[in-house]
């Protein structure tokens, strides 16, 4: 497995890899966990060569968010990736990604607004900008992202479509289904912040979301159903609900009833020290 930190050697290495077959990119900020490894395993099924990028992107951190405290563990991450059969780790420094004089920002309106973008101004600009750069640097045939961060995936697909990207094409920006614990709670490094009691209560989130989806699909009033979902989470031990919304799955336009195109239920709620997010398709 090659570990590369400069653009020219990256391009040379990717050119050689491409001669051996297609290339998948899994973008990460390191501190890898099971969720990332699931993406890597999916990538390996779909491509001859898997490239994983590790870059803690300063542009997607807000003023109050501690960029310096973000875990950096390149050696450990690389050992995990080597064991998964990854061909190349792309680990540029900040001055390689954003050299002196760097001045370009990519801002994707609509999909970036509200939900997780609501209280993190500029966050999705930072994500779109760095992912566009990673796509141009690696030029993968496909790229894989977790569906757990549904809004991020929607922003990246919109960006790829709007900028007519071909490596990868918007249709080759693939979402990988959220991995869940046996009781249905979405896996997240934030689950580790929960006490045993909070962990037991946290299952209210996927349970209440499934109930709400069944009601919405059955024709119940969406606003009343979401208010009920909110109440169920508070009664189940959550301290607060940041949002619980029905949106168009692709455009993320808010919906007051499911329409022709696929809809998605997206929720963020706080319990103990953790802010948990989840999203599910609104289908029978
Ligand atoms: O999901 C992440 O880890 C990051 O937002 C990403 C996509 C690697 C961009 O920095």
């Amino acid at each position: 497995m090659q570990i590369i930190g400069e653009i020219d050697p990256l391009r040379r290495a990717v050119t050689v890899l491409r001669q051996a077959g297609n290339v998948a990119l899994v973008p990460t900020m390191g501190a890898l966990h099971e969720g990332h490894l699931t993406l890597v395993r999916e990538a390996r099924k779909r491509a001859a060569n898997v490239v994983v990028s590790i870059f803690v992107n300063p542009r997607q951190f807000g003023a109050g968010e501690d960029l310096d405290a973000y875990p950096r563990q390149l050696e450990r991450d690389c050992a995990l990736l080597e064991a998964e059969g990854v061909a190349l780790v792309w680990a540029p420094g900040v001055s390689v990604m954003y050299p002196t004089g760097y001045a370009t920002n990519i801002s994707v309106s609509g999909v970036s607004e509200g939900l997780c973008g609501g209280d993190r101004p500029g966050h999705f600009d930072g994500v779109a900008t760095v992912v566009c750069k990673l796509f141009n640097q690696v030029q993968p045939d496909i790229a894989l992202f977790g569906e757990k961060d549904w809004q991020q995936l929607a922003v990246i697909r919109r960006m790829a479509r709007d900028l007519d990207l071909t490596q990868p094409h918007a249709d080759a920006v693939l979402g990988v289904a959220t991995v869940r614990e046996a009781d249905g709670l979405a896996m997240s490094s934030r689950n580790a912040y929960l006490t045993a009691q909070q962990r037991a209560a946290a299952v209210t989130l996927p349970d209440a979301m499934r109930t709400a989806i069944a009601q919405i699909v059955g024709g119940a009033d969406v606003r009343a159903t979401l208010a009920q979902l909110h109440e169920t989470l508070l009664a189940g031990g959550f301290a607060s609900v940041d949002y619980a919304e029905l949106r168009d799955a692709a455009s993320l336009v808010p919906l007051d009833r499911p329409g022709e195109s696929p809809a998605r239920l997206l929720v963020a709620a706080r319990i103990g020290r953790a802010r948990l997010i989840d999203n599910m398709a609104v289908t029978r």
Side-chain angles (χ1 to χ4, degrees), residues 27-29 36 53 55 57 60 70 123 126-127 130-131 134 145 149 152 156:
T28 81
M29 297 207 301
H36 298 109
S53 64
F55 178 67
N57 176 32
Q60 71 188 75
Y70 198 88
H123 168 71
V127 170
V130 82
V131 170
L134 290 166
F145 297 85
D149 295 306
Q152 168 168 283
I156 292 164

Side-chain angles (χ1 to χ4, degrees), residues 247-267:
R247 296 219 176 185
D248 181 274
S251 69
L252 293 188
V253 169
L255 301 174
D256 50 18
R257 71 177 68 91
E260 294 293 295
S261 56
R264 203 91 189 165
L265 176 64
L266 302 105
V267 182

Side-chain angles (χ1 to χ4, degrees), residues 202-280:
V203 71
T204 309
L205 178 58
D207 285 353
M209 287 176 70
R210 284 206 185 87
T211 303
I213 288 168
Q215 288 167 346
I216 291 169
V217 167
D221 178 73
V222 168
R223 196 182 292 213
T225 305
L226 295 179
Q228 179 61 53
L229 167 58
H230 194 127
E231 288 311 312
T232 305
L233 291 174
L234 297 183
F238 280 80
S240 60
V241 179
D242 287 1
Y243 60 76
E245 294 190 35
L246 183 71
R247 296 219 176 185
D248 181 274
S251 69
L252 293 188
V253 169
L255 301 174
D256 50 18
R257 71 177 68 91
E260 294 293 295
S261 56
R264 203 91 189 165
L265 176 64
L266 302 105
V267 182
R270 293 175 193 266
I271 182 165
R273 284 176 54 216
R275 177 180 182 274
L276 303 184
I277 61 170
D278 203 347
N279 66 84
M280 294 180 189

